[in-house]
Amino acid sequence: MDKNNSWDTEQFVEDDESNWLDEDLSVETESIDLSDMIQALEEEASTERLQQFHTTAFGKLLEALPIPAFLIDGDGWIALANQAGKRISSNPEEVSENQFHVLFQRSKTAERFRALFEEVVQTGNTQVAEGLLSTERGNIWGRLHMRSVKIGDQRGVLLLVEDLTPQKRQLLLKRKQEEILEQGVKARTAELERINKLLKKEIRNRRMTEAKLRLSSKIIKSSNEAIMITDLQGNIVDVNPAFTQMTGYSRGEVLGKNPRIMKSDRHPPDFFRNMWQKLIENGQWHGEVWDRRKSGELFAKLLSLSTVRNGFGRPEFYVGIFSDITKIKETEQRLERLAHYDPLTSLPNRVLFRDRLKQALIRSERTGMSTAVMFLDLDRFKNINDTMGHPAGDELLVEAARRLQACVRRSDTVARIGGDEFILVLSDFADVRSLAFLGRKIISQLSAPFALGEREVFITCSIGIAVYPTDGQDVDGLLQNADTAMYHAKERGKGRFQFFSEDMNVRAIDRLELETSLRVALQNDEFVLHYQPQIDLTTGRISGAEALIRWKRPHSDPVFPDRFIPLAEETGLINEIGDWVLSEACRQMLNWQRMGMDGIRVAVNMSGRQLKDTDVVESVHRVLEESGLNPDLLELEITESTLMHERDEAVNVLHRLKDMGVGISIDDFGTGYSSLSYLKRLPIDRLKIDRSFIKDVTSDLDDEAIVKAVMAVAHSLNLKVVAEGVETQEILEFLKYHHCDEAQGYLFSRPVPPEQFAHMLWKDRNSNPGD
């Protein structure tokens, strides 16, 4: 064999497969066509002649091939090998006695070749694969051609091995050259790449700077906030469109001008000096400023000032950014007014009064001057409110507030703290004689007649006076002592003023006296019940009544519930009073039944203290059992605020009362924080809409909407609706039109004694509905 034959591997010493290129990089050579050879083989093949193929034309053809060739049976045994194939084995004569894989048993890719062989046997597919072969003669890079052939009735494989070692070595050499060339190129281009990166970075920085400048310009122009740029002397060098729209000045009108052209004169000079000082020291300033538009209109703005510095850190420009907050300030003022002023009289309310008094006391402590508090209560105001209605009462309060303001100086404070109670804060007065003079003046002014519509009414007032620092050292002390003095003035006959004195302490005495009187009243039967009818708006008949307690003290004016009920609740006497009211109402209903006027339902008010402190269920059960009254005729009224404060207890108690057959209604509905989700859990029968919504329902759209909504909700929950405080025919017609179920108020009757109510009930039962 030629010494340059590719199977001479003496000079090939590399045995490590890692020295070769990746096996998936095949050598590009023309593949061997086995078609003619396979056809010749299959034409001459027979089972008996398998071992004599070397004598056939096919065997001669196979022997003449310059590359190793093998005929292998289906079990992997070599049936025939040509001389080139035998030369790659250490025992050429024994080649045909072994399986084909022994030829390559040192190859790391032998397993893959065996797998390909089995696939050819099983599927009949032709397989061509390249790989490193470790033969007995050394390492070669070979290409194996495996073709399925039919030998008689058996399947075999024709295996040809192409030696591609020279080509593979050429690829290795080429790749090595490419690597060396690549390393040289990398070395030569490294500096160029470094320089290129520096150039790109510089270009990118410049582009970013230009983009930022363009973006900043767009932001400034499109911003909804006004932007103003000035030089270090405060002269305007640029403004954005929002500035011109907000101020009314064009860009040309303000360039080179100082921003003081917009000053409002609402800030003292120190304000701007402090602003510029902080801007210079801190580099920024933030706050609210009032300015003037070109039209002369004042506007509030939220201004932020910042210092723009150059690359050396030195100030270069000032930038002001501001937004118009005029509407926000107006809203704040409205909210502040709602929070600090009485909506009816526009006087300061309790919150603002306390603040004013606190500031006055601080000033008095600093100057040594005195401060006085006058606590004023309108006498007999409730009578006017009850007889003429709330609109008339409100009108009287507004006029009283006006007269009070006319009596005092602009530096003094007149406040309304609730109901018919007013407080005056008086600073820097000369002496107590001036306070007495003012007290007489106020009483005189308020004693003059009030024109309410076509009627004239008369009231008086009681005034209590406390002076700082002798009568109190703080707000609460002065207020309490002035209140005490006012009640002392009322006790002395009303229509007068009273200075507080240390030995007076009338408030504590009055409280103790009233509490004692309450206990005596229970023992002496000084309480009576009056009844106000409730009218069925469908039939016009009396459908029920509300029992209202009255306290008639011997040799004294009646004490109204709004005075003694809070004290009774505070002391716990309300439980005894509540039991008495319940028993008396049931007793009275039985009397009416014996008179032939049965079926009338009576509502009895129940306080939150009763729900919380006593077993009201047992009390109601006992009264009903003792009286024998039908539970359906008794209705218990609980205020909405009581239900909200005693939620958990109320739900349980009301369910137990409902199980007894007693009716349940919610009084003053709408005055609390109504919860519809909570409302549907309660076993109630009626909702009573508070008089504060009914009195203006025909003139106030908000009240009208609330009343309609309450009735709609109630009816959807199968509840009856009772309207309180019905005083005009117009309101009655409104309620009828919107399907209100029942009503009560002065239009029908005031609360009356039981005998008078019995007469009204007898007349109602014996008259025609249209009478």
Short mmCIF file of all heavy atoms in Angstrom, two decimals, residues 538-582:
data_model
loop_
_atom_site.label_atom_id
_atom_site.label_comp_id
_atom_site.label_asym_id
_atom_site.label_seq_id
_atom_site.Cartn_x
_atom_site.Cartn_y
_atom_site.Cartn_z
N THR A 538 -104.97 59.20 54.79
CA THR A 538 -105.88 58.60 53.81
C THR A 538 -107.34 58.82 54.22
O THR A 538 -108.19 59.20 53.41
CB THR A 538 -105.60 57.10 53.67
OG1 THR A 538 -104.24 56.91 53.25
CG2 THR A 538 -106.52 56.47 52.63
N THR A 539 -107.62 58.61 55.51
CA THR A 539 -109.00 58.74 55.99
C THR A 539 -109.28 60.07 56.64
O THR A 539 -110.45 60.47 56.78
CB THR A 539 -109.29 57.62 57.00
OG1 THR A 539 -108.46 57.81 58.15
CG2 THR A 539 -109.00 56.26 56.39
N GLY A 540 -108.23 60.77 57.08
CA GLY A 540 -108.42 62.01 57.80
C GLY A 540 -108.79 61.81 59.25
O GLY A 540 -109.07 62.78 59.97
N ARG A 541 -108.81 60.58 59.72
CA ARG A 541 -109.20 60.27 61.09
C ARG A 541 -107.97 60.25 62.01
O ARG A 541 -106.84 60.11 61.57
CB ARG A 541 -109.87 58.89 61.15
CG ARG A 541 -111.14 58.77 60.33
CD ARG A 541 -112.30 59.47 61.00
NE ARG A 541 -113.57 59.12 60.39
CZ ARG A 541 -114.74 59.64 60.75
NH1 ARG A 541 -114.79 60.53 61.73
NH2 ARG A 541 -115.85 59.29 60.14
N ILE A 542 -108.23 60.37 63.31
CA ILE A 542 -107.17 60.20 64.30
C ILE A 542 -106.82 58.72 64.39
O ILE A 542 -107.67 57.88 64.70
CB ILE A 542 -107.62 60.72 65.68
CG1 ILE A 542 -107.90 62.24 65.62
CG2 ILE A 542 -106.55 60.43 66.73
CD1 ILE A 542 -108.44 62.81 66.91
N SER A 543 -105.57 58.41 64.10
CA SER A 543 -105.13 57.01 64.12
C SER A 543 -104.31 56.68 65.35
O SER A 543 -104.12 55.52 65.68
CB SER A 543 -104.30 56.71 62.86
OG SER A 543 -103.18 57.59 62.79
N GLY A 544 -103.82 57.70 66.05
CA GLY A 544 -103.01 57.45 67.22
C GLY A 544 -102.63 58.76 67.88
O GLY A 544 -103.13 59.84 67.52
N ALA A 545 -101.76 58.68 68.86
CA ALA A 545 -101.33 59.86 69.58
C ALA A 545 -99.93 59.62 70.14
O ALA A 545 -99.53 58.47 70.37
CB ALA A 545 -102.29 60.19 70.71
N GLU A 546 -99.20 60.71 70.34
CA GLU A 546 -97.89 60.63 70.99
C GLU A 546 -98.04 61.20 72.41
O GLU A 546 -98.56 62.30 72.59
CB GLU A 546 -96.84 61.43 70.24
CG GLU A 546 -95.46 61.35 70.89
CD GLU A 546 -94.39 62.12 70.13
OE1 GLU A 546 -94.72 62.72 69.08
OE2 GLU A 546 -93.23 62.12 70.59
N ALA A 547 -97.62 60.41 73.40
CA ALA A 547 -97.68 60.85 74.79
C ALA A 547 -96.46 61.69 75.10
O ALA A 547 -95.32 61.24 74.92
CB ALA A 547 -97.76 59.64 75.71
N LEU A 548 -96.66 62.93 75.61
CA LEU A 548 -95.58 63.86 75.89
C LEU A 548 -95.67 64.30 77.35
O LEU A 548 -96.72 64.77 77.82
CB LEU A 548 -95.68 65.08 74.97
CG LEU A 548 -95.58 64.76 73.47
CD1 LEU A 548 -95.97 65.96 72.63
CD2 LEU A 548 -94.17 64.30 73.11
N ILE A 549 -94.56 64.15 78.06
CA ILE A 549 -94.55 64.44 79.49
C ILE A 549 -94.45 65.95 79.74
O ILE A 549 -93.78 66.68 79.00
CB ILE A 549 -93.38 63.70 80.18
CG1 ILE A 549 -93.54 63.78 81.70
CG2 ILE A 549 -92.04 64.23 79.71
CD1 ILE A 549 -92.55 62.90 82.45
N ARG A 550 -95.14 66.41 80.77
CA ARG A 550 -95.08 67.79 81.22
C ARG A 550 -94.89 67.80 82.75
O ARG A 550 -95.42 66.94 83.46
CB ARG A 550 -96.36 68.54 80.87
CG ARG A 550 -96.61 68.67 79.36
CD ARG A 550 -95.57 69.58 78.72
NE ARG A 550 -95.83 69.80 77.30
CZ ARG A 550 -95.25 69.10 76.32
NH1 ARG A 550 -94.40 68.14 76.63
NH2 ARG A 550 -95.53 69.38 75.07
N TRP A 551 -94.09 68.79 83.22
CA TRP A 551 -93.83 68.90 84.66
C TRP A 551 -94.42 70.22 85.15
O TRP A 551 -93.95 71.30 84.82
CB TRP A 551 -92.33 68.84 84.93
CG TRP A 551 -91.96 68.89 86.39
CD1 TRP A 551 -92.78 68.80 87.46
CD2 TRP A 551 -90.62 69.04 86.90
NE1 TRP A 551 -92.09 68.87 88.63
CE2 TRP A 551 -90.75 69.02 88.32
CE3 TRP A 551 -89.38 69.18 86.34
CZ2 TRP A 551 -89.64 69.14 89.16
CZ3 TRP A 551 -88.28 69.30 87.17
CH2 TRP A 551 -88.41 69.28 88.56
N LYS A 552 -95.45 70.09 85.96
CA LYS A 552 -96.11 71.29 86.51
C LYS A 552 -95.70 71.42 87.97
O LYS A 552 -96.26 70.76 88.86
CB LYS A 552 -97.62 71.17 86.38
CG LYS A 552 -98.11 71.24 84.94
CD LYS A 552 -99.62 71.28 84.86
CE LYS A 552 -100.10 71.45 83.43
NZ LYS A 552 -101.59 71.53 83.34
N ARG A 553 -94.73 72.32 88.21
CA ARG A 553 -94.26 72.52 89.58
C ARG A 553 -95.22 73.47 90.32
O ARG A 553 -95.66 74.49 89.76
CB ARG A 553 -92.86 73.13 89.57
CG ARG A 553 -91.83 72.26 88.87
CD ARG A 553 -90.50 72.94 88.77
NE ARG A 553 -89.84 73.10 90.05
CZ ARG A 553 -88.65 73.67 90.22
NH1 ARG A 553 -88.00 74.15 89.17
NH2 ARG A 553 -88.14 73.78 91.42
N PRO A 554 -95.55 73.17 91.54
CA PRO A 554 -96.45 74.05 92.30
C PRO A 554 -95.83 75.43 92.48
O PRO A 554 -94.64 75.56 92.79
CB PRO A 554 -96.60 73.32 93.64
CG PRO A 554 -96.20 71.92 93.37
CD PRO A 554 -95.16 71.98 92.29
N HIS A 555 -96.66 76.47 92.25
CA HIS A 555 -96.25 77.85 92.46
C HIS A 555 -95.03 78.24 91.61
O HIS A 555 -94.18 79.02 92.04
CB HIS A 555 -95.92 78.10 93.94
CG HIS A 555 -96.95 77.55 94.89
ND1 HIS A 555 -98.26 77.99 94.93
CD2 HIS A 555 -96.86 76.55 95.82
CE1 HIS A 555 -98.93 77.32 95.85
NE2 HIS A 555 -98.10 76.43 96.41
N SER A 556 -94.92 77.67 90.45
CA SER A 556 -93.79 77.98 89.57
C SER A 556 -94.20 77.70 88.13
O SER A 556 -95.20 77.01 87.87
CB SER A 556 -92.56 77.14 89.93
OG SER A 556 -91.48 77.45 89.09
N ASP A 557 -93.43 78.24 87.22
CA ASP A 557 -93.72 77.98 85.81
C ASP A 557 -93.47 76.51 85.49
O ASP A 557 -92.63 75.85 86.13
CB ASP A 557 -92.81 78.83 84.92
CG ASP A 557 -93.15 80.31 85.01
OD1 ASP A 557 -94.30 80.63 85.36
OD2 ASP A 557 -92.24 81.14 84.76
N PRO A 558 -94.19 75.99 84.49
CA PRO A 558 -93.93 74.61 84.06
C PRO A 558 -92.47 74.45 83.62
O PRO A 558 -91.87 75.36 83.05
CB PRO A 558 -94.90 74.40 82.89
CG PRO A 558 -95.95 75.44 83.08
CD PRO A 558 -95.28 76.63 83.71
N VAL A 559 -91.91 73.29 83.88
CA VAL A 559 -90.54 72.98 83.44
C VAL A 559 -90.65 72.11 82.19
O VAL A 559 -91.26 71.03 82.23
CB VAL A 559 -89.75 72.24 84.54
CG1 VAL A 559 -88.32 72.00 84.07
CG2 VAL A 559 -89.77 73.04 85.83
N PHE A 560 -90.10 72.61 81.11
CA PHE A 560 -90.23 71.89 79.85
C PHE A 560 -89.26 70.71 79.79
O PHE A 560 -88.19 70.73 80.44
CB PHE A 560 -89.98 72.83 78.68
CG PHE A 560 -91.06 73.86 78.50
CD1 PHE A 560 -90.89 75.16 78.97
CD2 PHE A 560 -92.26 73.53 77.90
CE1 PHE A 560 -91.88 76.11 78.82
CE2 PHE A 560 -93.26 74.47 77.74
CZ PHE A 560 -93.09 75.75 78.21
N PRO A 561 -89.63 69.70 79.05
CA PRO A 561 -88.80 68.48 79.00
C PRO A 561 -87.36 68.73 78.59
O PRO A 561 -86.46 68.02 79.04
CB PRO A 561 -89.53 67.62 77.97
CG PRO A 561 -90.94 68.09 78.01
CD PRO A 561 -90.87 69.56 78.27
N ASP A 562 -87.12 69.72 77.69
CA ASP A 562 -85.75 69.94 77.23
C ASP A 562 -84.83 70.39 78.35
O ASP A 562 -83.61 70.38 78.20
CB ASP A 562 -85.71 70.93 76.07
CG ASP A 562 -86.28 72.29 76.45
OD1 ASP A 562 -86.82 72.42 77.56
OD2 ASP A 562 -86.21 73.21 75.61
N ARG A 563 -85.41 70.79 79.53
CA ARG A 563 -84.57 71.17 80.66
C ARG A 563 -84.37 70.03 81.64
O ARG A 563 -83.27 69.81 82.13
CB ARG A 563 -85.19 72.37 81.39
CG ARG A 563 -84.28 72.87 82.51
CD ARG A 563 -84.83 74.07 83.21
NE ARG A 563 -83.99 74.47 84.32
CZ ARG A 563 -84.36 75.25 85.31
NH1 ARG A 563 -85.59 75.73 85.33
NH2 ARG A 563 -83.51 75.57 86.27
N PHE A 564 -85.45 69.30 81.95
CA PHE A 564 -85.29 68.29 82.99
C PHE A 564 -84.98 66.89 82.46
O PHE A 564 -84.43 66.06 83.18
CB PHE A 564 -86.52 68.25 83.91
CG PHE A 564 -87.78 67.71 83.28
CD1 PHE A 564 -88.03 66.35 83.21
CD2 PHE A 564 -88.74 68.57 82.79
CE1 PHE A 564 -89.20 65.85 82.66
CE2 PHE A 564 -89.91 68.09 82.22
CZ PHE A 564 -90.14 66.72 82.15
N ILE A 565 -85.32 66.60 81.20
CA ILE A 565 -85.04 65.25 80.66
C ILE A 565 -83.53 65.00 80.58
O ILE A 565 -83.06 63.92 80.99
CB ILE A 565 -85.72 65.06 79.29
CG1 ILE A 565 -87.24 64.95 79.47
CG2 ILE A 565 -85.19 63.80 78.60
CD1 ILE A 565 -87.70 63.77 80.27
N PRO A 566 -82.70 65.95 80.06
CA PRO A 566 -81.26 65.68 80.06
C PRO A 566 -80.70 65.43 81.45
O PRO A 566 -79.85 64.56 81.64
CB PRO A 566 -80.67 66.96 79.44
CG PRO A 566 -81.77 67.52 78.60
CD PRO A 566 -83.02 67.20 79.35
N LEU A 567 -81.18 66.19 82.46
CA LEU A 567 -80.72 65.97 83.82
C LEU A 567 -81.19 64.62 84.33
O LEU A 567 -80.44 63.90 85.03
CB LEU A 567 -81.24 67.09 84.73
CG LEU A 567 -80.85 66.98 86.21
CD1 LEU A 567 -79.34 66.97 86.36
CD2 LEU A 567 -81.48 68.11 87.00
N ALA A 568 -82.42 64.24 83.99
CA ALA A 568 -82.94 62.94 84.41
C ALA A 568 -82.12 61.80 83.80
O ALA A 568 -81.84 60.79 84.47
CB ALA A 568 -84.41 62.81 84.00
N GLU A 569 -81.72 61.95 82.54
CA GLU A 569 -80.90 60.92 81.91
C GLU A 569 -79.52 60.86 82.56
O GLU A 569 -78.96 59.79 82.76
CB GLU A 569 -80.76 61.20 80.40
CG GLU A 569 -82.05 60.96 79.63
CD GLU A 569 -81.83 61.11 78.13
OE1 GLU A 569 -80.91 61.84 77.74
OE2 GLU A 569 -82.59 60.50 77.36
N GLU A 570 -78.97 62.03 82.86
CA GLU A 570 -77.64 62.09 83.45
C GLU A 570 -77.62 61.47 84.85
O GLU A 570 -76.65 60.80 85.23
CB GLU A 570 -77.16 63.54 83.51
CG GLU A 570 -75.72 63.71 83.95
CD GLU A 570 -75.29 65.15 83.90
OE1 GLU A 570 -75.98 65.97 83.26
OE2 GLU A 570 -74.24 65.47 84.50
N THR A 571 -78.68 61.66 85.62
CA THR A 571 -78.72 61.16 87.00
C THR A 571 -79.31 59.77 87.12
O THR A 571 -79.24 59.16 88.19
CB THR A 571 -79.54 62.12 87.87
OG1 THR A 571 -80.88 62.23 87.34
CG2 THR A 571 -78.91 63.50 87.90
N GLY A 572 -79.90 59.26 86.05
CA GLY A 572 -80.52 57.94 86.12
C GLY A 572 -81.98 57.98 86.50
O GLY A 572 -82.65 56.94 86.50
N LEU A 573 -82.53 59.16 86.83
CA LEU A 573 -83.95 59.27 87.18
C LEU A 573 -84.85 58.99 85.99
O LEU A 573 -86.05 58.75 86.16
CB LEU A 573 -84.24 60.67 87.73
CG LEU A 573 -83.66 60.99 89.11
CD1 LEU A 573 -83.88 62.45 89.45
CD2 LEU A 573 -84.30 60.09 90.16
N ILE A 574 -84.28 59.02 84.80
CA ILE A 574 -85.09 58.78 83.61
C ILE A 574 -85.72 57.40 83.62
O ILE A 574 -86.78 57.17 83.02
CB ILE A 574 -84.22 58.96 82.33
CG1 ILE A 574 -85.10 58.99 81.08
CG2 ILE A 574 -83.17 57.86 82.23
CD1 ILE A 574 -86.01 60.17 81.04
N ASN A 575 -85.09 56.44 84.31
CA ASN A 575 -85.66 55.10 84.36
C ASN A 575 -86.99 55.10 85.13
O ASN A 575 -87.97 54.50 84.68
CB ASN A 575 -84.66 54.14 85.02
CG ASN A 575 -83.38 54.01 84.21
OD1 ASN A 575 -83.40 54.06 82.98
ND2 ASN A 575 -82.26 53.86 84.90
N GLU A 576 -87.01 55.79 86.25
CA GLU A 576 -88.26 55.88 87.01
C GLU A 576 -89.30 56.69 86.27
O GLU A 576 -90.50 56.33 86.24
CB GLU A 576 -87.99 56.50 88.39
CG GLU A 576 -87.09 55.67 89.28
CD GLU A 576 -86.86 56.35 90.62
OE1 GLU A 576 -87.87 56.66 91.30
OE2 GLU A 576 -85.70 56.57 90.99
N ILE A 577 -88.85 57.80 85.66
CA ILE A 577 -89.79 58.63 84.90
C ILE A 577 -90.34 57.85 83.72
O ILE A 577 -91.54 57.90 83.42
CB ILE A 577 -89.08 59.92 84.43
CG1 ILE A 577 -88.71 60.78 85.65
CG2 ILE A 577 -89.97 60.70 83.48
CD1 ILE A 577 -87.91 62.01 85.30
N GLY A 578 -89.46 57.09 83.04
CA GLY A 578 -89.92 56.29 81.89
C GLY A 578 -90.94 55.25 82.29
O GLY A 578 -91.93 55.03 81.58
N ASP A 579 -90.72 54.58 83.42
CA ASP A 579 -91.70 53.60 83.90
C ASP A 579 -93.03 54.27 84.20
O ASP A 579 -94.11 53.72 83.91
CB ASP A 579 -91.17 52.90 85.16
CG ASP A 579 -90.04 51.93 84.84
OD1 ASP A 579 -89.87 51.59 83.65
OD2 ASP A 579 -89.31 51.53 85.77
N TRP A 580 -92.98 55.47 84.81
CA TRP A 580 -94.23 56.17 85.12
C TRP A 580 -94.98 56.54 83.84
O TRP A 580 -96.20 56.37 83.75
CB TRP A 580 -93.93 57.45 85.92
CG TRP A 580 -95.17 58.23 86.21
CD1 TRP A 580 -96.02 58.06 87.26
CD2 TRP A 580 -95.70 59.28 85.40
NE1 TRP A 580 -97.08 58.93 87.17
CE2 TRP A 580 -96.91 59.70 86.03
CE3 TRP A 580 -95.31 59.91 84.22
CZ2 TRP A 580 -97.70 60.73 85.51
CZ3 TRP A 580 -96.10 60.92 83.71
CH2 TRP A 580 -97.27 61.33 84.33
N VAL A 581 -94.24 57.06 82.83
CA VAL A 581 -94.87 57.44 81.57
C VAL A 581 -95.53 56.24 80.92
O VAL A 581 -96.67 56.30 80.42
CB VAL A 581 -93.84 58.07 80.61
CG1 VAL A 581 -94.44 58.27 79.22
CG2 VAL A 581 -93.34 59.40 81.16
N LEU A 582 -94.86 55.10 80.93
CA LEU A 582 -95.39 53.89 80.32
C LEU A 582 -96.66 53.44 81.03
O LEU A 582 -97.68 53.14 80.39
CB LEU A 582 -94.33 52.80 80.35
CG LEU A 582 -94.64 51.51 79.60
CD1 LEU A 582 -94.82 51.76 78.11
CD2 LEU A 582 -93.51 50.49 79.83
#
